[in-house]
Amino acid sequence: MTNPSYDQLPIIDLSAADRGPRARALLHAQLHSAAHDVGFFQLVGHGVTRAETDALLTAMRAFFALPEADRLALDNVNSPHFRGYTRTGDERTQGSRDWRDQLDIGAERPAHVPAPGEPAYWWLQGPNQWPAALPELRTAALAWIDRLSAVARRLLHELLTAIGAPADFYDPVFGEHAHPHLKLVRYPGSADDGTDQGVGAHKDYGFLTLLLQDTVGGLQVQREDGLFHDVPPLEGAFVVNLGELLEVATNGYLIATNHRVVSPPGATERFSVPFFYNPRLDARVEPLPFPHAATAPGITDDPANPLFAQYGYNELKGKLRAHPLVAERHHADLLSAA
């Protein structure tokens, strides 16, 4: 990318795919550049309506306004599947606490307790925890998972087409048994000890992340100059980033990028809704055939963060590190693998 702008991420209009060959070709050129050079972009033209967004945000704010006892009734420490409510400071990134609280939600499925010989990652499949006093949250959250899964699928198809790969190459690893993940997150302001880690620097380990952020700001992305730059909120847009699976699948041609959140000042609250488009837990992500493969730079090998062939092992590793209280209570026998 020549002369990159650090004032805003690239802006991608997905609706251009429907406006004829010339508009779609320009979309592909912009998408190719954003995914190859930055790993992050703002997505507009995605078709998600204001009414759909408002339904989720209204239910989300109502959840965080519930009495603490109601939220703690959903404590994720009670879930061997890492579902439910995480108290402020109980999640970790790179070993340091994240100053936020959140509700973790996935596809609503029965628990899969691994049988002898089955991979431990099946612990990640299980029921969600919902507040009895707020039934509309369940409706809005599960509808959001379905809606954004469709947007992410379409975006992935356009992205693969943009780099000359078969659009449907990864369809078999998704389908009805995909493992999407939704977080409803509140940053309550500065930590009591003065640290400003809302969430520490990290990369996501799935395919695509679509983030709905409010107007407060605080998201920062590491750009080509090696520095972390603010991502100004853009009305109606999702902030999209690529996960490590796409980087590995393209041998580093598409990049997963470090990002973090700086806590808002004082007692200012920030709300955000990240959605993670992930494949089946047992999916093996094959290398992507595409014409630029010969120019791929390779991936960065981090011995402290090994990537596994089956997606489920990667997510399990992340969950065990991020949620030590859940891990210690339910999965002490797995901690050596984290």
Side-chain angles (χ1 to χ4, degrees):
M1 177 179 289
T2 57
N3 299 319
S5 170
Y6 297 129
D7 295 333
Q8 182 55 277
L9 295 174
I11 299 173
I12 303 296
D13 182 356
L14 188 57
S15 67
D18 300 322
R19 294 202 294 268
R22 180 174 297 180
R24 191 171 184 226
L26 178 59
L27 164 67
H28 289 163
Q30 294 170 332
L31 192 52
H32 187 159
S33 175
H36 176 57
D37 297 324
V38 186
F40 260 85
F41 51 90
Q42 298 267 22
L43 185 72
V44 299
H46 42 68
V48 178
T49 67
R50 183 65 177 267
E52 290 173 305
T53 301
D54 286 348
L56 180 70
L57 294 181
T58 299
M60 173 185 178
R61 288 178 178 272
F63 171 75
F64 286 109
L66 289 173
E68 183 181 43
D70 288 8
R71 285 179 274 123
L72 290 177
L74 313 181
D75 197 326
N76 72 344
V77 173
N78 298 320
S79 169
H81 319 293
F82 298 88
R83 305 290 178 88
Y85 177 67
T86 303
R87 286 177 277 198
T88 303
D90 277 1
E91 188 174 22
R92 300 288 188 271
T93 301
Q94 302 292 343
S96 298
R97 67 176 185 174
D98 295 325
W99 199 245
R100 62 181 186 174
D101 60 344
Q102 65 189 35
L103 187 67
D104 282 276
I105 302 164
E108 192 67 80
R109 295 184 183 132
H112 184 159
V113 177
E118 281 193 311
Y121 57 65
W122 287 117
W123 278 113
L124 299 173
Q125 178 177 305
N128 296 300
Q129 298 192 73
W130 302 107
L134 201 62
E136 60 268 32
L137 180 64
R138 183 183 192 278
T139 300
L142 294 181
W144 193 256
I145 287 175
D146 288 344
R147 188 72 175 90
L148 262 66
S149 291
V151 173
R153 181 178 186 273
R154 185 184 187 203
L155 175 60
L156 181 60
H157 280 197
E158 296 297 339
L159 173 57
L160 297 186
T161 301
I163 64 170
D168 60 354
F169 186 79
Y170 288 119
D171 283 5
V173 303
F174 285 93
E176 63 182 38
H177 297 294
H179 191 74
H181 180 206
L182 175 66
K183 288 177 179 277
L184 307 180
V185 184
R186 174 178 61 177
Y187 297 87
S190 299
D192 48 12
D193 62 358
T195 58
D196 66 355
Q197 177 173 304
V199 60
H202 66 285
K203 298 178 181 181
D204 296 340
Y205 38 74
F207 266 75
L208 293 169
T209 303
L210 281 68
L211 171 72
L212 177 67
Q213 61 170 340
D214 66 11
T215 59
V216 172
L219 174 65
Q220 296 183 335
V221 172
Q222 191 172 34
R223 298 294 300 270
E224 298 90 330
D225 61 357
L227 303 177
F228 282 88
H229 294 265
D230 291 327
V231 178
L234 184 64
E235 177 69 26
F238 292 113
V239 181
V240 176
N241 64 281
L242 279 59
E244 290 176 316
L245 286 183
L246 273 176
E247 180 169 315
V248 170
T250 60
N251 198 28
Y253 188 81
L254 302 181
I255 58 173
T257 304
N258 273 318
H259 52 288
R260 67 188 185 190
V261 173
V262 175
S263 293
T268 302
E269 288 185 321
R270 175 183 185 263
F271 293 90
S272 71
V273 185
F275 169 78
F276 304 91
Y277 186 56
N278 301 325
R280 300 191 325 262
L281 288 171
D282 60 351
R284 289 183 177 271
V285 179
E286 300 295 333
L288 184 68
F290 68 111
H292 306 282
T295 66
I299 61 172
T300 302
D301 183 28
D302 182 357
N305 184 35
L307 292 172
F308 301 100
Q310 284 182 297
Y311 169 69
Y313 286 118
N314 295 303
E315 179 160 336
L316 180 62
K317 173 193 64 180
K319 288 289 197 294
L320 292 171
R321 292 179 175 184
H323 297 279
L325 298 180
V326 180
E328 290 163 9
R329 179 168 181 175
H330 298 284
H331 305 296
D333 57 321
L334 302 177
L335 289 177
S336 61

